[in-house]
Amino acid sequence: MLRYALAVVAGLFLASTVTVVVADRNLDIPFPFNCSTKTLCSDLRIKLPNENEEYNAVYLGLTDGALNFNLSNKAGNELILFLGGIENNRFRVIVEEPDRHRYKLEHSLEKEPTTTPLTVDSVEDSAVTASDGNGNKAIVRLTPLSIEFYHNDVLESVFEGNRIIFQNTEDNQDFTFSVRFVDADRLLGLHEHAADLALKHTVDLRTDPYRLRNTDYGTTRYDLNSTESMYGSVPVIYGFGANTSGIFVHNAAEMFIDIDNNRKSAYFMVNGGTLDVFFLLGPSLKESVRQYIDLTGKPHLPQIWALGYHQCRWAYNTTEDVKDTIGNFDKYEFPLDVLWLDIEYTSERRWFTWNATSFPDPVDLLNWVDSQGHRKLVPISDPHIKIDLNYSIYTDLLNNSYFVNSPNGSAFESECWPGETSWIDYLNPGARDYYANLHLYSNFPSTPALGGFWNDMNEPTLFDNLYERSLPYDTLHYGNVKHRDVHNIYGLLQTLSTHQGLIARDEGKLRPFILSRSYFAGSQRYANKWSGDNWGYFEDLRYSVPMALTSNLVGVAFYGADIPGFFGTATEELLIKWYQIGIWLPFFRAHAALGSPRREPFRFPNETQVILRETIGLRYKHLPYWYTLFYEHTRTGDPIVRPLLYEYPEDKTGYDLTDELLIGSDILAASVYESNATSVSVYFPGKDQSWYQVTGDSPVVFESGNFSDVPVDLTFTPVFYRSGSIITRKPNVQRSTADIKDDPNELHVVPDKNGNATGRVYIDDFESFNYVNEKQYLYANLDYDSASKSVKVTSIDSDSDSSNFTLSVQTVYLYNKKDDGTYSVDKIDQTKDGVPLVDIDLSTHSLLL
Ligand SMILES: *[C@@H]1O[C@H](CO)[C@@H](O)[C@H](O)[C@H]1NC(C)=O
Ligand SMILES: *[C@@H]1O[C@H](CO)[C@@H](O)[C@H](O)[C@H]1NC(C)=O
Ligand SMILES: *[C@@H]1O[C@H](CO)[C@@H](O)[C@H](O)[C@H]1NC(C)=O
Ligand SMILES: *[C@@H]1O[C@H](CO)[C@@H](O)[C@H](O)[C@H]1NC(C)=O
Ligand SMILES: *[C@@H]1O[C@H](CO)[C@@H](O)[C@H](O)[C@H]1NC(C)=O
Ligand SMILES: *[C@@H]1O[C@H](CO)[C@@H](O)[C@H](O)[C@H]1NC(C)=O
Ligand SMILES: *[C@@H]1O[C@H](CO)[C@@H](O)[C@H](O)[C@H]1NC(C)=O
Ligand SMILES: *[C@@H]1O[C@H](CO)[C@@H](O)[C@H](O)[C@H]1NC(C)=O
Ligand SMILES: *[C@@H]1O[C@H](CO)[C@@H](O)[C@H](O)[C@H]1NC(C)=O
Ligand SMILES: *[C@@H]1O[C@H](CO)[C@@H](O)[C@H](O)[C@H]1NC(C)=O
Ligand SMILES: *[C@@H]1O[C@H](CO)[C@@H](O)[C@H](O)[C@H]1NC(C)=O
Ligand SMILES: *[C@@H]1O[C@H](CO)[C@@H](O)[C@H](O)[C@H]1NC(C)=O
């Protein structure tokens, strides 16, 4: 009912403004679908193949270092199986019909993975054993089929042949398989769900299986603590334990996954495409994560402004509203990097157009925005195109057959924001090129102050419950590919094309910025992601943390949640608490729905403004720390924000504490998600280390291995520095990241029990690809030694002439733990008459305190 009422309100509003009535169709059809309403799941979930359906394997031999098998069962079905080695402790298993007619996924893997030839160790009647010479071994049991994967003789995972089912009719290519993680304590992964870190036990049938099917909920509130599908899909699971391994299911069709936490197994029910699974043998979680992201690719660095504060709402409607809003940020002294433009900036929701009345001179406006602290505007741009013969983008796409087609061969049509629309077929390389070109300055009047694009509604979404608000699975893409087989990669392809367009627009000089709601494995190469249309409740705040932690384990690192909940009217208390944790997620954006009151930080009473100013300022002060983490992520794929178990895999107490998050390894934040909380219980991980509280008024030190009740009030959320670390910060907050990026730095030295501390810092031009193409950057270790009382700066890997990038230090703060459990800070000024004493630009330099 709620949904219906809201849909009508939205419809009325649209009718009165842009003369199109957008109404959701078939609202009487229950939404979303689930296991009981989808045969893929309801039929296959409880099906264990009987003896006639179990597959037995016949070993055919080794081709190019990979093993081949025929599979057959007594029911007369035949399959073929390929088992190959991939460098760095990985195997790949592909199962398909001998005639190989299934869709093979493209665009998810960054490149063809480097194979490692396998050697066959033994061929017996019951089993074939092969290994890669690097401690990894596979034993293929033949009757019935199953494959055991070993790393250094520890059995890590089993591909369970007794759960293989292949449907193979014209309309039904469902298949199933199962994997057991033998040594696991917890199963993790399966982004995106509004749920805790550890996967739930679902096989008892009381909980639906996890579902991966990119879905927009419109004004329906998505369930929290739930296995239902969301906007993005990354089919990765880690079996976390003493020996951790993982799998990546290289398939973009809808899937349900039943989790058995007793056996530590995952049963996949997949709606089409090829059974293609990578086995990642770790053996640690850290290595498993790297093994995964190495397959689908690491992102490039964002420009530094993307790490600042983003202010969005539906909508800043006019040039005046944009200027007033930015002006008020300055008047009330709130930093801001980006103001976002929702659908109203267009002419009749025709993307790549401006509303001529409300944005009469976009280039002039963008020049003004740039003049206000090099700030940016980011507009929304969706993959559906208004059916309008007076809109050349529509006629061009139609004339070139660049739309997704109905089964009858004509462009598919349905409803979305502009009214009747068609959907761009990004599988078509010509359509991708055409779309990319629309981003050129010559095609869309703008300047580089239009910092990037917001690709929304790209699940893709349409307003019809019949197809569960997306394209019907029998619509057709380029090459006669059914939408069913590529549903989850549609959004990735849009961002790929947008990325190509931005590279071309700025002649390869500036790093593109794209925010996407739909996501698949590999999207991280092009776009970052937010958790979609959340609501203004404390529970939504609570789940924003574990969602960011899981996404960071599967390569979706630049992730955040809309502050303080997109829909609804968050209380002022919730808004404050949400900013206080939101600044510690990689993507930091506030947003508000059409019906939500205006709530930019300067609109609140003074005492609230004071808190928000301090909070947002903390984000800006930690800019060097964030930027270094983002850089390291581009090198390693390591998560930017991390669950405790990632850094402390042996500390079982921390396994399920998903309301605490580590930013890198040195900062711990504990979210507060209960109204009027006066204290929160925080677990301090590690051995022999201390955590220094840096928010609130009490300089308290907490010892590792304990839970402590940390007093809180409205003014702060608890944040701690780890002993043994050096945090690089900016001393001042100004209008934007551009205003402070070149300022001298502060080093916050928090010694460990031996008096030592270390950190790392990364500096470049903050915007270009010179750090990749010409290695123009400074990346250095910072080592504090209490004996010599000095910080040594040692280049890890930098430009040979790194004089272009210097670490200039204004102040060093030395944290001293006192006997009473508090600490003091010694300020060691590094400036004389306002001039920095030390500008460290050599590969090795000691800074004496
Ligand atoms: C699945 O959907 C049906 C129809 O909307 C609904 O009655 C049922 O409660 C749902 N099941 C679960 C587990 O959510
Ligand atoms: C393997 O399967 C293929 C295709 O079904 C068949 O042609 C071939 O004879 C089989 N080989 C063996 C050794 O069973
Ligand atoms: C989440 O759901 C699980 C059952 O799946 C339940 O045991 C748990 O208490 C729920 N958590 C919260 C915070 O409601
Ligand atoms: C894997 O497990 C074995 C025992 O099962 C243990 O000895 C070994 O240390 C573990 N490996 C790692 C990397 O933790
Ligand atoms: C922006 O435009 C929409 C649609 O016309 C309207 O509902 C909304 O109130 C406007 N917002 C402001 C701040 O004027
Ligand atoms: C332009 O915006 C104004 C108000 O913001 C709105 O009334 C008008 O319908 C829009 N025009 C078009 C062509 O979208
Ligand atoms: C087509 O667009 C032009 C320019 O935007 C406008 O002047 C004209 O009225 C439009 N024609 C129709 C039929 O909408
Ligand atoms: C493109 O399509 C429009 C509308 O269908 C038509 O009027 C026009 O002639 C077509 N142009 C080309 C080059 O085919
Ligand atoms: C709030 O702060 C502004 C200046 O920032 C000041 O002019 C105003 O008097 C303050 N209002 C109250 C109620 O303190
Ligand atoms: C928190 O405190 C406020 C003000 O006293 C009160 O209105 C609100 O109901 C409290 N919230 C809860 C959840 O108790
Ligand atoms: C402290 O740092 C110094 C210099 O880096 C090193 O020689 C010493 O071993 C460190 N002490 C400990 C206990 O790690
Ligand atoms: C340093 O910057 C200048 C100006 O951008 C550039 O010309 C020069 O090539 C840079 N030096 C190095 C070593 O990259």
Side-chain angles (χ1 to χ4, degrees), residues 532-545:
D533 297 347
N534 55 2
W535 286 70
Y537 297 103
F538 270 100
E539 304 88 81
D540 290 73
L541 181 165
R542 180 206 181 284
Y543 282 97
S544 70
V545 171

Side-chain angles (χ1 to χ4, degrees), residues 185-207:
D185 242 301
R186 299 282 190 282
L187 301 186
L188 314 171
L190 294 182
H191 170 80
E192 177 180 36
H193 294 97
D196 281 327
L197 196 61
L199 298 179
K200 296 163 182 280
H201 186 66
T202 61
V203 291
D204 59 10
L205 308 185
R206 280 198 295 268
T207 307

Side-chain angles (χ1 to χ4, degrees), residues 165-205:
I165 299 168
F166 266 67
Q167 317 273 19
N168 192 10
T169 64
E170 171 72 16
D171 297 325
N172 183 349
Q173 294 193 347
D174 296 350
F175 67 85
T176 69
F177 67 96
S178 169
V179 174
R180 187 158 69 92
F181 299 90
V182 178
D183 221 15
D185 242 301
R186 299 282 190 282
L187 301 186
L188 314 171
L190 294 182
H191 170 80
E192 177 180 36
H193 294 97
D196 281 327
L197 196 61
L199 298 179
K200 296 163 182 280
H201 186 66
T202 61
V203 291
D204 59 10
L205 308 185

Side-chain angles (χ1 to χ4, degrees), residues 820-840:
D820 64 359
T822 65
Y823 69 93
S824 61
V825 180
D826 290 342
K827 181 174 179 219
I828 297 148
D829 215 338
Q830 294 293 315
T831 63
K832 202 174 184 182
D833 305 325
V835 181
L837 266 186
V838 192
D839 254 5
I840 304 162

Side-chain angles (χ1 to χ4, degrees), residues 208-503:
D208 254 20
Y210 282 85
R211 184 174 183 220
L212 291 178
R213 187 268 186 193
N214 295 356
T215 301
D216 166 51
Y217 283 76
T219 51
T220 303
R221 189 172 178 205
Y222 58 68
D223 284 347
L224 302 174
N225 195 13
S226 166
T227 57
E228 75 182 13
S229 57
M230 289 185 64
Y231 309 90
S233 296
V234 183
V236 169
I237 297 183
Y238 302 107
F240 167 77
N243 291 270
T244 296
S245 66
I247 55 169
F248 165 45
V249 180
H250 181 226
N251 183 300
E254 173 178 356
M255 56 184 84
F256 285 89
I257 304 101
D258 231 348
I259 299 294
D260 186 335
N261 272 335
N262 300 324
R263 299 181 70 243
K264 300 293 185 292
S265 62
Y267 172 58
F268 285 78
M269 296 158 264
V270 187
N271 205 194
T274 304
L275 192 170
D276 182 5
V277 184
F278 290 89
F279 288 80
L280 322 163
L281 299 193
S284 66
L285 177 58
K286 187 169 186 163
E287 286 159 296
S288 302
V289 170
R290 288 183 176 191
Q291 286 156 10
Y292 162 67
I293 198 167
D294 178 67
L295 294 170
T296 57
K298 298 168 198 119
H300 57 73
L301 261 173
Q303 296 185 50
I304 198 161
W305 57 260
L307 307 190
Y309 174 56
H310 298 252
Q311 180 69 55
C312 188
R313 82 164 276 114
W314 181 14
Y316 298 109
N317 286 341
T318 60
T319 301
E320 293 67 42
D321 200 356
V322 168
K323 288 188 171 181
D324 280 357
T325 304
I326 290 178
N328 276 323
F329 270 88
D330 287 341
K331 180 172 170 205
Y332 292 90
E333 299 188 334
F334 285 99
L336 172 75
D337 269 81
V338 188
L339 198 78
W340 289 61
L341 299 178
D342 210 317
I343 56 179
E344 314 302 349
Y345 74 89
T346 58
S347 165
E348 295 180 351
R349 283 104 194 252
R350 292 177 296 192
W351 319 119
F352 306 101
T353 68
W354 294 94
N355 179 313
T357 316
S358 45
F359 291 91
D361 193 344
V363 167
D364 184 66
L365 173 62
L366 286 161
N367 287 337
W368 180 84
V369 170
D370 182 57
S371 74
Q372 309 296 301
H374 297 296
R375 289 176 171 130
K376 312 288 176 197
L377 297 183
V378 172
I380 202 164
S381 196
D382 296 351
H384 55 257
I385 297 296
K386 184 170 197 252
I387 297 175
D388 179 348
L389 295 177
N390 201 21
Y391 178 29
S392 65
I393 293 177
Y394 171 73
T395 52
D396 285 351
L397 289 163
L398 187 68
N399 287 349
N400 287 294
S401 304
Y402 285 164
F403 285 123
V404 177
N405 281 335
S406 293
N408 71 12
S410 63
F412 176 80
E413 300 179 353
S414 186
E415 293 264 348
C416 207
W417 292 129
E420 286 289 320
T421 61
S422 288
W423 276 263
I424 298 176
D425 179 11
Y426 296 101
L427 246 67
N428 187 325
R432 288 203 299 273
D433 288 345
Y434 178 85
Y435 186 75
N437 276 331
L438 297 175
H439 297 81
L440 300 178
Y441 295 122
S442 52
N443 285 328
F444 183 44
S446 48
T447 75
L450 198 81
F453 282 82
W454 173 14
N455 286 164
D456 195 32
M457 306 297 276
N458 53 356
E459 292 71 25
T461 290
L462 53 85
F463 298 154
D464 190 342
N465 277 18
L466 180 59
Y467 313 115
E468 209 182 359
R469 295 176 63 85
S470 191
L471 294 175
Y473 281 177
D474 62 355
T475 53
L476 293 171
H477 293 263
Y478 180 73
N480 236 20
V481 175
K482 282 196 165 91
H483 184 69
R484 177 196 71 198
D485 293 339
V486 292
H487 176 78
N488 285 343
I489 207 170
Y490 185 89
L492 180 149
L493 292 170
Q494 186 196 11
T495 61
L496 180 161
S497 184
T498 304
H499 195 268
Q500 181 187 327
L502 286 173
I503 291 277

Side-chain angles (χ1 to χ4, degrees), residues 836-847:
L837 266 186
V838 192
D839 254 5
I840 304 162
D841 57 72
L842 302 172
S843 57
T844 300
H845 193 106
S846 277
L847 165 63

